[in-house]
Amino acid sequence: MPELPEVETVRRGLAPTFVGGRIARAEARRPDLRFPLPERFVGRLTGRRVEDLRRRAKYLLADLDSGETLVMHLGMSGSFRLERAVAEVVDLGVSGSATPATANGAPDVLGDFYYDRSKAAAHDHVVFHFENGARVVYNDPRRFGYMDLVATSALEAHPLFADIGLEPLGAGFDATALSMALQGSRAPLKAALLDQRRIAGLGNIYVCEALYRARLSPMREAGGLKPAETRRLLRAIREVLEAAIEAGGSTLRDHRQTDGTLGYFQHRFAVYDREGVVCGHKRCGGIIARAVQSGRSTFYCSACQL
Ligand SMILES: [Zn+2]
């Protein structure tokens, strides 16, 4: 399942096509994904210019010039494929150098962002045809993803977003905000960090990684961190997310250089899924253990995560 860094990498990959682009035509090949598509979905997208492509938690938000925002969630297996029928220099916006597309006029697949590597056209559910010839295809074999159209001005109050917590890569994510988010919680640190009402977009993997990096036990009471520990945790959360986004970007560049296919990230984790491995922290010597908390695996080092 895509976590925040993957969704952010997808956003960066799509942004050059979306932002400033006009949707000449949209296709919905079925009436629903996880939920029914909104009424007049195609009509409300057709002819609209995309003014911005943002991310909130694991949602992609395309602000349209109609005053509506297209909300997109990848679910478990959703992916976007970028295609372009014209030859031109394309910058994927992942901080790499631009690469010229092929000049033979054939559709040039610029990239896939996916988890299940489905290429089956049967799973291409929504297609955006941009005025400049680019096509963005939403593919989702398991159909846990969804899309909605919401008035941009009403977005924050929308049920999907009203209760979402701090954005861990946002400007407002500082030690004070994190401390407030955890204040009074008697839940284990692991559970509190997974709680989307406190912090948005952190999943099992990156919570394990951040706690390991911060050397904090996942079993600690969330509300009981000392100020220095809160600062350490804050730094660790930012670092693991940024490293994963950077790795996603590198993966995009590497893949594009070889076969034009982008996107399946196989990150290397320090602690996640590494039960039995010797702890990588200097002079620790502990062994990575697995525990089950709230029905989900936690990987940690009991020797140095205190
Ligand atoms: Zn250790």
Side-chain angles (χ1 to χ4, degrees), residues 1-112:
M1 177 161 39
E3 290 207 28
L4 187 150
E6 288 76 34
V7 178
E8 175 61 21
T9 307
V10 169
R11 188 194 70 77
R12 294 180 187 189
L14 292 177
T17 303
F18 268 72
V19 180
R22 193 177 291 281
I23 302 171
R25 192 160 67 85
E27 274 179 76
R29 297 184 175 170
R30 49 179 302 126
D32 59 348
L33 295 169
R34 181 174 186 176
F35 309 115
L37 290 167
E39 271 180 46
R40 297 185 47 251
F41 180 66
V42 163
R44 286 155 76 182
L45 291 173
T46 301
R48 300 275 63 97
R49 186 175 172 277
V50 180
E51 295 186 328
D52 201 1
L53 183 67
R54 300 177 287 140
R55 181 189 52 74
R56 176 75 171 109
K58 295 202 283 186
Y59 294 91
L60 293 169
L61 305 172
D63 297 327
L64 309 175
D65 63 356
S66 59
E68 290 195 300
T69 294
L70 171 63
V71 176
M72 298 173 279
H73 195 286
L74 298 169
M76 305 286 287
S77 59
S79 70
F80 288 100
R81 194 167 73 244
L82 302 178
E83 301 175 349
R84 197 177 286 261
V86 292
E88 61 178 67
V89 173
V90 175
D91 181 5
L92 280 157
V94 190
S95 80
S97 57
T99 306
T102 54
N104 60 10
D108 172 30
V109 177
L110 292 176
D112 283 338

Side-chain angles (χ1 to χ4, degrees), residues 83-250:
E83 301 175 349
R84 197 177 286 261
V86 292
E88 61 178 67
V89 173
V90 175
D91 181 5
L92 280 157
V94 190
S95 80
S97 57
T99 306
T102 54
N104 60 10
D108 172 30
V109 177
L110 292 176
D112 283 338
F113 301 96
Y114 43 54
Y115 283 79
D116 293 350
R117 287 167 164 261
S118 172
K119 299 268 192 214
H123 299 139
D124 290 346
H125 303 309
V126 178
V127 184
F128 306 99
H129 300 264
F130 282 86
E131 204 172 54
N132 66 0
R135 293 204 317 157
V136 176
V137 181
Y138 180 72
N139 180 291
D140 190 349
R142 297 179 64 183
R143 272 191 289 117
F144 278 104
Y146 46 97
M147 295 191 191
D148 201 353
L149 283 160
V150 176
T152 307
S153 59
L155 211 56
E156 279 180 36
H158 189 277
L160 287 175
F161 301 102
D163 295 326
I164 288 187
L166 295 169
E167 182 62 47
L169 292 174
F173 189 64
D174 57 20
T176 308
L178 178 57
S179 169
M180 297 270 284
L182 299 177
Q183 201 170 47
S185 171
R186 308 200 61 183
L189 202 42
K190 165 91 184 294
L193 293 176
L194 282 176
D195 182 349
Q196 302 300 300
R197 293 165 301 181
R198 297 178 192 274
I199 300 174
L202 286 187
N204 203 32
I205 294 173
Y206 293 104
V207 167
C208 291
E209 293 292 309
L211 287 173
Y212 176 70
R213 187 177 287 232
R215 300 195 185 206
L216 290 168
S217 166
M219 288 79 177
R220 281 279 294 276
E221 190 174 287
L225 295 190
K226 300 186 182 76
E229 292 173 328
T230 305
R231 287 196 296 275
R232 225 157 71 210
L233 178 59
L234 176 89
R235 201 163 55 236
I237 291 172
R238 279 189 179 275
E239 284 172 1
V240 296
L241 292 176
E242 278 162 10
I245 291 167
E246 177 52 37
S250 328

Side-chain angles (χ1 to χ4, degrees), residues 212 279-281 284-286 288 301 303-305:
Y212 176 70
C279 172
H281 283 147
C284 173
I288 304 303
C301 173
C304 69
Q305 288 181 250

